[in-house]
C-alpha cells in the first residue's frame, strides 16, 4: 500500500479543486456522476479494490480492468461517499498472499475469470479515513465455447473435485516435498484446475498448501508449530504419454502475516493513514489516533461465482452479471451509524443512498479497459 500514498495525496489535492469539473453532473438522487477515466476517481477505485481483496479469505486477487460507473455523494467539503461499479479480472495471486493487485500477474485469455464489483467507499478528509463500507462482486469464467473457437488446443477448466485433479495436486506436491530440504507441506485445497490433450492427458492445478505436522526428519517434529493456515499457493501439472509421466511444480509462499493475522479489516489498516493530516478542531479534541474498530465489522461483502454464461441457461432473461449492493431502499437515503470508525464519544453517521442504476451515469463511462477483449468485459 506504500505506493498508493503519493498517489492519494496528490489525488486529494487535485480533488478539492475539481468540484466544478464539467464531467460532473448532478442527477436527481443528488449523486455526482464522474467520468470513468478521471485519474482522481480511479485512484479511489484502486483503493476500494484493495480493500475488497484484503477483506476476502477465499479466491484470487481481483484487478481493475475498467471503471464502469462512478458516483459521489458529498456531505460538505470533508465527506464523500463513492458508489463504484468496477469491471474486474482475476489475477494469479491468491487473496491470502495479501499482494496488492498491481503486483499480481494477470491470467491468459483462455484461463480468464471476469466480472463486476460494486462497492461503497466512505472518505472523511479531515479524519483521514478511507473505508470500504460494503461490496459485492459476481464473476464468471471466460466463455469456453469462444475460447475453443479461437484456440482449440488451449487447456479448458475442469471441476476441482475431479479425482484426476486431486491426483495431479498430490503428485506435484509429493515432488515438491521430495525436493524440499527440510519442511514438508500438505494439501489444503485445489483452487483451480484445467486439462488438455497433448500426446496424452495433461492436468494443470493450483492449490493451497500448509506446513505438515512433521518435517522431513522425524526428530524435529516437536519444533513444529501447530499452525494450519495456508502458507502458499502451488502450481503443478501431471501429464502422461504412453511411456512416461511428467510432473511439474512451483510454489509461491505468502509473506508472513505476523502475529496479527486476520487483522487486515480494521478501519485504520484500511487506509486512514493514507490521507493527509489536516488540522481541524474535531480532530484535536479526539486526539491524533483513531483506534481500529474491534470486532464491530462483520463481513462487508461477498464474491459470487457463476458458471460460464453459455452454460447458464437460467440467466438468459436476466442480467448476465447480477451484483446487488442495497444498503437501503429508501430513495431519500438513510443514516448509517459509523461511530466505530471514530474513537469519539459522540455518534457519527453517514448518508447511504440506494445504489444508483446505470441510468444517469456519465457519458464518459465505462472508461477505457486495460484488457479490452470483449470476451472478458461484462456487457
Ligand atoms: C484516459 O486518461 C489517460 C490519462 O489520464 C489518457 O492518456 C487517455 O487518452 C484517456 N483515455 C480516454 C479513452 O479518454
Ligand atoms: C450481496 O450479495 C448477496 C448475494 O450475492 C446478497 O445476499 C446480499 O444482500 C448483497 N449485499 C447487499 C448489501 O446488498
Amino acid at each position: 500500500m506504500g505506493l498508493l500514498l503519493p498517489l492519494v495525496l496528490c489525488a486529494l489535492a487535485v480533488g478539492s479543486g475539481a468540484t466544478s469539473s464539467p464531467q460532473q453532473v448532478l442527477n436527481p438522487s443528488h449523486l455526482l456522476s464522474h467520468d470513468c477515466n478521471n485519474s482522481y476517481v480511479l485512484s479511489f477505485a484502486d483503493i476500494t479494490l484493495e480493500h475488497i481483496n484484503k477483506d476476502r479469505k477465499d479466491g484470487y486477487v481481483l484487478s481493475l480492468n475498467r471503471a464502469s460507473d462512478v458516483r459521489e455523494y458529498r456531505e460538505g467539503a470533508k465527506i464523500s461517499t463513492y458508489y463504484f461499479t468496477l469491471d474486474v479480472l482475476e489475477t494469479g495471486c491468491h487473496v491470502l498472499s495479501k499482494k496488492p493487485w498491481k503486483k499480481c500477474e494477470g491470467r491468459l485469455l483462455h484461463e480468464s475469470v471476469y466480472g463486476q464489483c460494486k462497492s461503497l467507499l466512505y472518505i472523511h478528509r479531515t479524519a483521514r479515513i478511507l473505508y470500504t463500507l460494503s461490496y459485492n462482486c459476481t464473476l464468471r469464467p471466460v466463455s469456453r465455447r469462444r475460447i475453443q473457437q479461437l484456440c482449440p488446443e488451449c487447456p479448458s477448466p475442469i471441476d476441482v473435485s475431479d479425482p484426476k485433479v486431486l491426483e495431479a495436486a498430490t503428485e506435484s506436491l509429493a515432488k515438491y516435498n521430495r525436493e524440499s530440504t527440510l519442511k514438508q507441506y500438505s494439501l489444503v485445497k485445489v483452487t483451480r484446475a484445467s486439462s488438455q490433450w497433448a500426446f496424452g492427458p495433461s492436468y494443470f492445478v493450483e492449490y493451497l498448501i500448509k506446513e505438515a505436522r512433521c518435517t522431513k526428519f522425524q526428530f524435529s517434529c516437536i519444533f513444529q508449530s501447530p499452525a494450519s493456515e495456508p502458507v502458499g499457493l502451488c502450481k503443478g501439472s501431471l501429464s502422461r504419454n504412453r511411456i512416461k509421466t511428467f510432473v511439474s511444480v512451483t510454489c509461491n509462499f505468502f509473506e508472513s502475516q505476523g502475529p496479527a493475522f486476520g487483522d487486515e479489516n480494521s478501519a485504520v489498516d484500511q487506509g486512514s493513514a493514507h490521507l493527509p493530516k489536516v488540522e481541524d478542531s474535531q480532530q484535536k479534541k479526539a486526539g491524533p489516533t483513531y483506534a481500529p474498530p474491534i470486532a464491530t465489522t462483520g463481513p462487508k461483502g461477498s464474491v459470487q461465482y457463476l458458471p460460464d454464461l453459455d452454460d447458464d441457461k437460467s440467466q438468459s432473461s436476466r442480467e448476465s452479471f447480477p451484483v446487488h449492493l442495497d444498503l437501503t431502499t429508501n430513495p431519500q437515503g438513510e443514516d448509517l451509524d459509523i461511530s466505530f470508525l471514530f474513537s469519539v464519544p459522540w455518534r457519527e453517521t453517514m448518508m447511504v443512498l440506494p445504489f444508483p442504476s446505470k441510468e444517469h451515469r456519465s457519458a464518459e463511462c465505462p472508461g477505457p479497459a486495460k484488457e479490452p477483449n470483449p470476451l472478458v468485459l461484462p456487457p
Side-chain angles (χ1 to χ4, degrees), residues 32-267:
L32 295 161
S33 301
H34 283 285
D35 169 354
C36 284
N37 192 32
N38 176 326
S39 58
Y40 168 66
V41 163
L42 287 176
S43 67
F44 289 128
D46 286 356
I47 290 168
T48 199
L49 195 56
E50 291 295 1
H51 292 169
I52 293 171
N53 285 324
K54 283 201 169 178
D55 188 59
R56 297 168 60 212
K57 303 281 176 280
D58 223 5
Y60 290 88
V61 169
L62 300 174
S63 68
L64 180 62
N65 194 16
R66 69 177 181 189
S68 175
D69 191 359
V70 183
R71 310 296 175 91
E72 181 187 3
Y73 178 78
R74 288 205 181 145
E75 293 181 69
K78 284 192 280 193
I79 300 170
S80 291
T81 307
Y82 279 91
Y83 295 74
F84 283 111
T85 305
L86 306 174
D87 290 346
V88 297
L89 285 166
E90 256 189 17
T91 66
C93 298
H94 197 273
V95 290
L96 296 178
S97 71
K98 301 286 173 192
K99 274 201 185 168
W101 63 263
K102 285 187 175 166
K103 290 195 176 161
C104 293
E105 263 181 50
R107 292 196 175 274
L108 298 170
L109 181 63
H110 68 266
E111 54 186 27
S112 292
V113 174
Y114 69 108
Q116 199 163 70
C117 292
K118 289 181 177 169
S119 79
L120 245 70
L121 178 71
Y122 171 84
I123 300 173
H124 193 300
R125 292 178 171 79
T126 49
R128 296 177 290 138
I129 289 171
L130 281 165
Y131 184 75
T132 296
L133 195 75
S134 191
Y135 66 88
N136 254 347
C137 308
T138 295
L139 305 177
R140 289 184 188 273
V142 65
S143 161
R144 206 167 49 240
R145 183 177 54 84
R146 295 295 311 280
I147 292 296
Q148 265 157 15
Q149 289 164 358
L150 293 169
C151 169
E153 311 281 280
C154 279
S156 56
I158 52 171
D159 197 322
V160 293
S161 62
D162 189 312
K164 292 289 185 193
V165 167
L166 188 62
E167 186 194 0
T170 312
E171 290 285 321
S172 72
L173 182 55
K175 178 182 163 87
Y176 190 85
N177 279 335
R178 272 196 307 277
E179 290 166 5
S180 155
T181 49
L182 185 63
K183 278 190 177 165
Q184 299 287 286
Y185 299 93
S186 57
L187 181 66
V188 178
K189 68 169 181 180
V190 178
T191 51
R192 228 188 130 80
S194 58
S195 70
Q196 181 185 35
W197 189 274
F199 311 112
S202 297
Y203 296 91
F204 305 94
V205 288
E206 295 183 15
Y207 51 92
L208 291 169
I209 55 167
K210 62 181 181 184
E211 284 182 19
R213 301 198 79 85
C214 288
T215 56
K216 210 164 191 172
F217 307 102
Q218 203 64 26
F219 60 82
S220 50
C221 277
I222 50 165
F223 299 113
Q224 198 63 33
S225 76
S228 57
E229 301 288 353
V231 294
L233 183 76
C234 299
K235 303 188 182 188
S237 70
L238 175 67
S239 34
R240 288 204 169 93
N241 62 20
R242 266 190 231 153
I243 316 156
K244 218 171 165 318
T245 299
F246 303 89
V247 179
S248 75
V249 65
T250 53
C251 294
N252 280 301
F253 289 87
F254 306 148
E255 271 170 43
S256 167
Q257 303 300 321
F261 183 82
D263 250 19
E264 302 275 335
N265 305 322
S266 68

Side-chain angles (χ1 to χ4, degrees), residues 134-136 301-302 304 324-327:
S134 191
Y135 66 88
N136 254 347
S302 62
Q304 168 179 225
H324 301 287
L325 196 63
D326 298 308
L327 294 170

